[in-house]
Amino acid sequence: APLTELLKRSRLETLSISGIQKAIDEHTAILEAIIKKDPDMAVEAMSKHLQTAEENLKAAGKFSLES
């Protein structure tokens, strides 16, 4: 359950920064790429989504690549 709680908290943090509509738009882009069976488009959409999540976690002070 600790991982589940961490994921839940991180989602709430990222949604509070960029908003639910951005998350919906990014998930829609990922799904559309999958439906079109376009792997390049899917990779691009997923990469954008992960970048947004990373930026949001950094903005919330919850993520750092520095040790």
Side-chain angles (χ1 to χ4, degrees):
L3 180 57
T4 303
E5 283 303 309
L6 178 61
L7 290 170
K8 183 178 176 182
R9 284 195 312 253
S10 71
R11 282 190 199 110
L12 291 174
E13 298 253 359
T14 58
L15 287 175
S16 70
I17 293 169
S18 64
I20 188 72
Q21 191 57 54
K22 185 165 181 81
I24 291 170
D25 293 345
E26 289 180 351
H27 283 108
T28 299
I30 295 164
L31 182 58
E32 286 176 355
I34 293 168
I35 290 169
K36 291 179 181 179
K37 298 181 180 179
D38 186 333
D40 293 331
M41 186 179 176
V43 167
E44 183 178 334
M46 189 65 199
S47 294
K48 180 179 180 188
H49 181 57
L50 291 173
Q51 181 178 2
T52 298
E54 180 181 349
E55 290 169 359
N56 290 342
L57 288 169
K58 284 180 179 177
K62 303 292 182 188
F63 181 79
S64 176
L65 292 176
E66 294 81 34
S67 23

